[in-house]
Amino acid sequence: MTIAQQRRQAVTETAERILSVIGDKPTVAKMEAAKPYLMALAERRDLFPAEDFPAPDGGATDRTYLIFDNENGAALYAITAIPGMTYRPHDHGGSWAMIAAVQGQEKHYLYQADPSVPGRPILKDTLTCEPGTAVSLLPDGIHAIEGVGTEPLLHLHFYGTRFEDQGDRTEYDLENGSTDVFRMEAFGFIEDKR
Ligand SMILES: [Fe+2]
């Protein structure tokens, strides 16, 4: 089998296993139970060579590749990024999220919405997603991310709902204490590597 075929098989098996654990009602316990499967896939660096998943270029800080989706709208992406990449606080429009690292370090700032001040979610925790770790968000989760360390990043991002359908995604402008509705074009182009 070619690398692409091996990857397709491993990605599909992993994604279906995770989806069967999470089911329709994600909980912290289910996320924790499912994380090891995504981490095990992320350990297969041989399946994610730089030839197939190049780092961003031309001044871009990240690049997104679709590696799995299904008829229910779940989608798994491989995202390459450079240290220094940042993404301001956002939710995923009601979708759960799970992220594991193939390579590089991504710092996550985890927030909780503050209903009394909609534009200023409360920082609850920070952690670094690097090989051997994973991060998850429930459907109401909010996070900001930052590429740290010195190595280029390659992370696997799994969502119950694909980016295109995360329609009501909210982004937070902490400085102004305001919120914006996410625009798909801000995400750039998604390359199909299924
Ligand atoms: Fe995110």
Side-chain angles (χ1 to χ4, degrees), residues 45-85:
R45 282 175 82 137
D46 57 309
L47 297 181
F48 301 97
E51 305 89 84
D52 291 345
F53 300 95
D57 55 9
T61 58
D62 55 65
R63 196 162 166 179
T64 301
Y65 305 90
L66 177 66
I67 56 174
F68 169 89
D69 64 357
N70 74 5
E71 67 283 2
N72 296 323
L76 176 54
Y77 305 89
I79 299 182
T80 61
I82 56 171
M85 165 277 294

Side-chain angles (χ1 to χ4, degrees), residues 120-159:
R120 292 198 201 278
I122 301 159
L123 183 64
K124 301 299 273 188
D125 202 4
T126 61
L127 53 91
T128 300
C129 185
E130 58 195 351
T133 64
V135 177
S136 64
L137 299 178
L138 289 174
D140 62 353
I142 300 168
H143 69 159
I145 57 176
E146 178 184 9
V148 295
T150 54
E151 226 187 347
L153 285 73
L154 201 176
H155 281 54
L156 305 178
H157 292 239
F158 200 6
Y159 302 96

